[in-house]
Amino acid sequence: MKILQINASARSAGSNSTRLAAAVSARLQAQNPAASIELRDLASAPHPVLDEPSLTALFTPAEQRTAEQNARVALDDALIAQVQSADAIVLGVPMYNFGIPVQLKTWIDDIARSGVTFRYTANGPEGLLKGKKVYVALARGGLYRDTPADSQVPYLKSVLGFLGMTDIEFIYAEGLAMGADAASKAFAEAEEQMGELLA
């Protein structure tokens, strides 16, 4: 079993979402002692955003690309290969201004490639990243679960599902900015949830 942990926080150290994601990965590895964990920290190793040169490189036939374009496409290829080879994916996701971090959006933009991780068919789009279990570790300062203010869960369900990853579990640590007692309670509840999901 191969576990891919993606830390999406803008902080490399002291991140609540990273702490939560690491706890999920540790429980998965405890269940599967032979499992390996591959870590990608989007703060310490930021990925370039999808911009006009990136799009130009992607839409240029491989044999016509410049060396610079090949290098840019290769960066995305590496992300895609990581996801393709993973059996379980753990996403550590903080909430920034009611949405996901730009680091995570960049990662999603760069693994979503037509003909590789999804394709269009006569019956509509088909995700090609199938058979993977996804755990999303959500860390929030306030309380958003099951409210209209939670834009993260619907978006992640939609975009990951579009890519073929439909087996998703969401783990919540909320109220982390509402005082020490609330934060302790949030992590205790998250641990309880992990225990139920990964018994």
Side-chain angles (χ1 to χ4, degrees), residues 1 20 23-24 27-28 31-32 89-90 133-138 145 167-172 189-199:
M1 181 181 186
L20 205 59
V24 174
R27 282 181 178 265
L28 280 172
Q31 281 188 333
N32 305 274
I89 298 169
V90 180
K133 183 73 176 185
V134 181
Y135 298 89
V136 182
L138 298 163
R145 184 176 183 175
D167 189 0
I168 309 171
E169 300 287 355
F170 291 90
I171 297 160
Y172 299 80
E189 290 176 349
E191 287 286 347
E192 184 178 347
Q193 191 182 1
M194 278 184 263
E196 293 170 357
L197 292 174
L198 300 166

Side-chain angles (χ1 to χ4, degrees), residues 35-180:
S36 64
I37 299 176
E38 187 170 8
L39 176 65
R40 181 171 287 273
D41 189 307
L42 300 178
S44 62
H47 200 78
V49 298
L50 190 64
D51 55 12
E52 186 170 8
S54 303
L55 286 172
T56 300
L58 286 167
F59 284 100
T60 298
E63 67 277 7
Q64 296 176 23
R65 289 177 189 144
T66 64
E68 184 178 44
Q69 289 175 329
N70 277 325
R72 176 63 186 87
V73 173
L75 293 175
D76 291 358
D77 288 345
L79 293 189
I80 291 169
Q82 266 192 327
V83 176
Q84 288 173 327
S85 66
D87 301 296
I89 298 169
V90 180
L91 300 177
V93 185
M95 177 179 275
Y96 293 164
N97 301 313
F98 300 100
I100 64 169
V102 66
Q103 290 84 359
L104 183 57
K105 180 61 166 65
T106 295
W107 180 80
I108 290 168
D109 287 343
D110 288 331
I111 67 165
R113 187 185 297 174
S114 181
V116 180
T117 57
F118 71 92
R119 66 184 175 188
Y120 291 105
T121 73
N123 297 317
E126 177 189 2
L128 301 177
L129 295 174
K130 298 175 181 177
K132 302 179 187 302
K133 183 73 176 185
V134 181
Y135 298 89
V136 182
L138 298 163
R140 287 111 170 249
L143 304 174
Y144 301 97
R145 184 176 183 175
D146 299 327
T147 74
D150 186 356
S151 66
Q152 291 182 311
V153 169
Y155 169 71
L156 290 170
K157 279 183 179 178
S158 294
V159 72
L160 295 174
F162 179 81
L163 297 176
M165 295 179 279
T166 56
D167 189 0
I168 309 171
E169 300 287 355
F170 291 90
I171 297 160
Y172 299 80
E174 294 199 308
L176 297 175
M178 299 171 69

